[in-house]
Amino acid sequence: MLLNISYTEWVGYLASAVLIISFLMKNLSTLRIINSIGAIIFVIYGVMLNISWPIIITNVFILFANIYYLYFNQRKVNS
């Protein structure tokens, strides 16, 4: 516990901050990469909450959507 806040809550705050920062990006690829990092941290947060399935499922979906669009965007650039 740090500053009377549990480590689980700190992870949740970190995930929220990363997510907010991602939406400040102008470049869509950068946004998706930073947003993916936030989604991964949110999955960790969901696990730390004794398996919160709504948080885990939503953020795994967001992570895979970001990976999908990053992959296909990269393929368009290379074509």
Side-chain angles (χ1 to χ4, degrees):
M1 194 169 282
L2 181 63
L3 298 175
N4 210 24
I5 300 173
S6 72
Y7 293 118
T8 302
E9 285 184 80
W10 278 113
V11 172
Y13 290 133
L14 174 63
S16 296
V18 172
L19 188 71
I20 290 167
I21 291 168
S22 76
F23 286 112
L24 299 175
M25 300 296 114
K26 289 183 180 181
N27 182 295
L28 189 58
S29 294
T30 306
L31 182 149
R32 290 192 182 279
I33 291 167
I34 295 173
N35 190 272
S36 295
I37 294 167
I40 291 167
I41 298 170
F42 262 121
V43 169
I44 293 167
Y45 177 64
V47 170
M48 291 175 77
L49 289 174
N50 296 318
I51 311 297
S52 176
W53 287 112
I55 293 172
I56 294 169
I57 291 168
T58 302
N59 285 283
V60 166
F61 175 82
I62 291 169
L63 179 61
F64 283 124
N66 283 335
I67 291 168
Y68 174 84
Y69 284 111
L70 282 167
Y71 174 75
F72 280 102
N73 187 38
Q74 186 64 29
R75 287 187 65 195
K76 277 186 188 177
V77 171
N78 290 334
S79 297

